[in-house]
Amino acid sequence: MGACQKDFESAVNQVKLLKKDPGNEVKLKLYALYKQATEGACNTPKPGLFDLINKAKWDAWNALGNLPKETARQNYVDLVSGLRSSSDSSSQVKPEADKKRAGYDTLVITSEDCITKIMLNRPAKKNALTTQMYREIMLALEAASKDDSTITVFTGNGDYYSSGNDLTNFTDIPPGGIEEKAKNSAILLRDFVDCFIDFPKPLVAVVNGPAVGISVTILGLFDLVYASDRATFHTPFSHLGQTPEGCSSYTFPKIMGPAKAVEMLIFGKKLTAGEAYAQGLVTEVFPDSTFQKEVWTRLKAYSKLPQNAMHISKQIIRNHEKEKLHAINAEESRILQERWLSDECMNAVMDFFSRKAKL
Ligand SMILES: CCCCCCCCCCC/C=C/C(=O)SCCNC(=O)CCNC(=O)[C@H](O)C(C)(C)COP(=O)(O)OP(=O)(O)OC[C@H]1O[C@@H](n2cnc3c(N)ncnc32)[C@H](O)[C@@H]1OP(=O)(O)O
């Protein structure tokens, strides 16, 4: 039987999570098969001789001739499956080392009562998100999408849910310079948010305390948001010389109306849990003293509902917007790549580290 669209989409996501770079030759093959599977035979003019990268891509696609879309889709799925099993078997050589590498240094992940819980675990840094943490979250989501849990929960360890992007991500500049860092970070951001857009099971945020930046914006992609009455919701992008991400430029106006979204996303208004509930960003607010008990009792009951019915319902609710969300995510990430190189952004980061500014 040929690969269905779902297998193909899942293979496309798996490629982003490969632990080992498969090399240029394989990447060209993947590119060509992807284009053939989605657009059919090569239909664009041949790039000029000196446009080396685009010419190599064009040649690989053109070489597939009139290969049917379905066959290209199947070949793509097979190729990815081969890449995944070779990377899995190479990791079996050193299980301990792999556990450490692929395992979760910045997250605590548990599965119980059909619930997979992903807990951000840098309480001393208010669960600020390092690049390692973005990557571990993507791996954790990939694993949760396949395990036998029915729902997946995000929460934070300590007094914060998350203080958003770790600002040391701006100071850790590689030899390739800040432009290269910005480019790679934009790819990381886009891939990270894509994982939330595509996540197939009900996704729940248990917001145990203040939430800042990207930890707030991606809430628009969650299915339930439970908040302690201690939680606050803050997206101070202008203060940081930055712009919205996590598809919030689309989801927030849709959820709360443009006027309230503008207050948050342009003017950085911090919402209390009660205000976030009134704006529709939060599903329900609980007193902090009974928060954990009430939320987990509720979630355990939900997790026993028929799995397939829940997952299909999520698909029906979310799938028709997926393409749009991916496009918005790509555009927000592209704009941020430029923003990160601006004086406005650099000055804001320097002010934080010189202790001149705190939110
Ligand atoms: C070249 C381009 C590279 C870009 C890479 C980008 C990758 C993708 C980015 C996606 C876009 C995301 C955007 C956002 O999320 S914007 C929001 C960013 N967050 C902040 O600006 C918050 C900054 N933190 C604060 O203002 C305060 O720490 C806070 C109000 C959260 C808490 O204050 P409090 O006084 O209660 O606690 P402390 O400040 O003492 O915090 C304890 C320690 O934790 C460190 N900390 C906290 N948050 C962060 C953070 N976000 N980044 C780095 N470090 C953080 C804080 O410095 C303290 O550390 P020390 O104990 O060592 O002093």
Side-chain angles (χ1 to χ4, degrees):
M1 206 173 70
C4 66
Q5 184 62 21
K6 206 167 147 238
D7 296 334
F8 178 64
E9 280 168 15
S10 156
V12 172
N13 288 326
Q14 284 162 9
V15 165
K16 297 175 196 157
L17 297 170
L18 285 175
K19 291 176 206 151
K20 257 181 24 196
D21 185 324
N24 286 343
E25 204 179 315
V26 175
K27 282 198 256 184
L28 276 177
K29 232 182 233 175
L30 285 168
Y31 168 82
L33 287 169
Y34 178 86
K35 294 292 276 184
Q36 193 86 8
T38 53
E39 295 178 34
C42 181
N43 56 4
T44 58
K46 186 172 183 168
L49 258 189
F50 297 107
D51 189 358
L52 294 176
I53 295 178
N54 284 322
K55 188 173 166 307
K57 287 162 108 177
W58 187 93
D59 284 341
W61 183 13
N62 192 48
L64 296 179
N66 286 323
L67 187 77
K69 279 185 172 182
E70 292 71 20
T71 315
R73 208 160 62 181
Q74 181 66 59
N75 292 354
Y76 184 97
V77 170
D78 292 344
L79 180 55
V80 173
S81 153
L83 291 172
R84 295 197 72 217
S85 53
S86 75
S87 99
D88 287 351
S89 60
S90 68
S91 66
Q92 274 163 21
V93 179
K94 284 185 275 168
E96 276 313 307
D98 183 61
K99 196 169 162 227
K100 226 169 172 191
R101 196 186 63 219
Y104 303 101
D105 290 338
T106 63
L107 309 174
V108 173
I109 300 182
T110 47
S111 282
E112 213 184 324
D113 296 312
C114 299
I115 300 173
T116 291
K117 178 170 87 171
I118 300 173
M119 184 165 71
L120 308 174
N121 191 32
R122 293 182 72 226
K125 299 287 180 185
K126 311 290 181 195
N127 296 322
L129 299 165
T130 57
T131 49
Q132 179 189 6
M133 213 154 167
Y134 289 112
R135 293 207 171 87
E136 290 192 2
I137 291 171
M138 290 194 277
L139 287 173
L141 283 174
E142 164 76 0
S145 72
K146 297 210 188 85
D147 68 17
D148 50 15
S149 65
T150 53
I151 60 183
T152 302
V153 175
F154 261 81
T155 192
N157 188 12
D159 60 342
Y160 259 65
Y161 177 67
S162 169
S163 62
N165 186 44
D166 191 309
L167 297 176
T168 61
N169 288 335
F170 286 94
T171 55
D172 169 25
I173 303 301
I178 185 136
E179 281 84 5
E180 184 186 303
K181 174 83 190 233
K183 186 170 163 224
N184 291 336
S185 301
I187 295 170
L188 177 67
L189 172 63
R190 197 192 57 209
D191 290 349
F192 176 76
V193 175
D194 275 348
C195 288
F196 285 85
I197 297 172
D198 289 328
F199 193 71
K201 299 178 180 180
L203 196 53
V204 182
V206 170
V207 187
N208 53 299
V212 184
I214 190 164
S215 73
V216 177
T217 55
I218 52 169
L219 293 176
L221 302 171
F222 278 65
D223 303 299
L224 284 175
V225 180
Y226 290 147
S228 149
D229 59 7
R230 235 176 27 80
T232 50
F233 298 82
H234 195 191
T235 50
F237 297 124
S238 300
H239 299 71
L240 295 166
Q242 295 182 46
T243 47
E245 24 49 12
C247 295
S248 58
S249 61
Y250 175 71
T251 56
F252 277 28
K254 195 171 170 213
I255 290 169
M256 56 187 81
K260 292 295 176 188
V262 161
E263 271 195 310
M264 280 192 85
L265 296 176
I266 301 185
F267 297 110
K269 182 180 179 191
K270 189 197 283 186
L271 300 192
T272 63
E275 287 166 338
Y277 169 73
Q279 304 309 344
L281 184 62
V282 162
T283 312
E284 195 166 337
V285 182
F286 300 84
D288 194 57
S289 54
T290 54
F291 179 58
Q292 297 292 341
K293 189 165 175 281
E294 288 194 59
V295 160
W296 289 105
T297 307
R298 181 88 57 93
L299 290 175
K300 278 178 196 169
Y302 285 171
S303 71
K304 293 187 179 62
L305 291 169
Q307 177 169 14
N308 292 339
M310 284 199 284
H311 296 178
I312 294 166
S313 296
K314 169 156 182 172
Q315 276 173 31
I316 300 170
I317 295 167
R318 298 271 177 190
N319 272 10
H320 58 98
E321 288 222 304
K322 261 193 188 176
E323 226 170 282
K324 185 165 200 165
L325 291 170
H326 284 301
I328 288 159
N329 180 28
E331 181 66 355
E332 289 177 345
S333 304
R334 187 191 64 73
I335 291 170
L336 265 176
Q337 181 180 336
E338 289 167 16
R339 280 278 93 211
W340 290 329
L341 300 173
S342 69
D343 288 347
E344 288 178 343
C345 178
M346 285 303 156
N347 291 337
V349 172
M350 283 193 303
D351 283 351
F352 175 73
F353 286 112
S354 60
R355 302 292 178 219
K356 274 197 262 165
K358 212 173 247 196
L359 297 172

